[in-house]
Amino acid sequence: MDTVLATQDDAPLIILHDLLSNKKQWSSIGKTINNLSKRAVITVDLRNHGKSPHTRSNTYEEMTADLQKLLQKLSIEKAYFLGHGIGGKATMCTALLAPEAVAGMMIIDISPASSPKQFQDLYAEILTSMKEIKFKSGSTLVTAKSEAKKILKNSKFDDLTVDVILSNIVLKTHNIVGWSCNLDVLIKYFHYVVSFPKNLKGKIYYGPTIFIGGQLSEFLP
């Protein structure tokens, strides 16, 4: 979790990243929002991503519980949420299960109503390609990323996608190269990630909400 302190007491903004992304990729935007709004901005690594704990499961209900614990730890009663991709779904789930904690939300490039085939196919291929990458014992971080990049280029992913994947390669305990994300659990729970909790059907969030999507986005029907 990275926090940028604000100069006023307005509800803070919590930013949640997309699948295989992490809080660092939102750090610059978070600082810009803080500078313009003077609002506290908190970028968060979702479970099984970045520096957050690796767990045995990865559901949106659990992400909501994680966020509630974070708010309690930081003594925050209510916050605004900005969620991209699965971060958007985690935000929507939180708004439906704990509306008292959500002052408002902005959802970027994702829908609760459908899961486009492009989203499922792309990330299924990405996760499969990541699983096939084997890190050599004693390999340096630079070498590991270089070798992984060659493999990923053969999969015909665009440069942005490759960069996101490579951002998950880090030096772990004892300087061993590995994935920062919990790849096996993300693969195991992939069908949950690309869907939306059915038990939330009929629940309504009445707070301020805005959806933003790129004109050419394949993730919004």
Side-chain angles (χ1 to χ4, degrees):
M1 177 189 69
D2 286 342
T3 305
V4 181
L5 296 179
T7 58
Q8 59 187 49
D9 296 328
D10 292 346
L13 171 68
I14 293 179
I15 300 179
L16 304 177
H17 59 79
D18 195 7
L19 182 63
L20 298 176
S21 186
N22 58 69
K23 65 183 181 183
K24 287 184 178 180
Q25 291 160 345
W26 283 91
S27 178
S28 177
I29 294 177
K31 290 177 181 178
T32 299
I33 294 174
N34 170 252
N35 289 332
L36 292 174
S37 68
K38 305 306 177 185
R39 183 186 306 279
V41 178
I42 305 168
T43 55
V44 177
D45 280 333
L46 294 169
R47 61 168 48 206
N48 296 309
H49 287 81
K51 294 183 178 180
S52 283
H54 286 191
T55 62
R56 295 181 178 180
S57 55
N58 201 77
T59 68
Y60 288 113
E61 292 91 339
E62 290 168 332
M63 294 181 208
T64 290
D66 294 340
L67 291 169
Q68 287 179 291
K69 291 177 182 178
L70 175 63
L71 293 178
Q72 184 177 15
K73 181 178 180 180
L74 298 178
S75 299
I76 297 173
E77 293 185 4
K78 182 171 289 194
Y80 290 95
F81 286 81
L82 184 159
H84 176 220
I86 69 165
K89 288 192 176 185
T91 294
M92 290 183 280
C93 185
T94 301
L96 295 175
L97 290 175
E100 70 284 351
V102 182
M105 61 180 180
M106 179 182 294
I107 310 301
I108 301 177
D109 211 31
I110 203 71
S111 166
S114 63
S115 184
K117 190 173 185 298
Q118 293 93 328
F119 177 86
Q120 299 182 43
D121 291 349
L122 173 61
Y123 279 100
E125 186 178 354
I126 289 173
L127 292 170
T128 298
S129 296
M130 291 173 68
K131 187 65 177 176
E132 292 174 351
I133 295 174
K134 306 299 181 185
F135 301 111
K136 297 178 182 179
S137 177
S139 178
T140 65
L141 185 60
V142 173
T143 300
K145 286 192 174 185
S146 178
E147 293 177 350
K149 188 173 184 178
K150 292 178 183 177
I151 296 173
L152 295 170
K153 284 292 186 180
N154 291 333
S155 299
K156 298 181 179 179
F157 296 127
D158 60 43
D159 291 341
L160 180 59
T161 300
V162 171
D163 288 343
V164 170
I165 298 172
L166 294 179
S167 72
N168 285 276
I169 301 177
V170 297
L171 280 179
K172 306 185 79 173
T173 307
H174 306 302
N175 287 327
I176 296 175
V177 175
W179 297 111
S180 61
C181 62
N182 191 347
L183 186 58
D184 289 336
V185 167
L186 293 180
I187 291 173
K188 181 179 179 180
Y189 279 80
F190 181 66
H191 61 291
Y192 285 99
V193 171
V194 298
S195 61
F196 196 74
K198 294 181 179 178
N199 62 306
L200 298 183
K201 185 177 181 179
K203 289 185 176 293
I204 300 175
Y205 172 69
Y206 292 97
T209 304
I210 185 170
F211 285 83
I212 297 179
Q215 185 177 6
L216 301 179
S217 172
E218 295 181 335
F219 296 160
L220 286 172

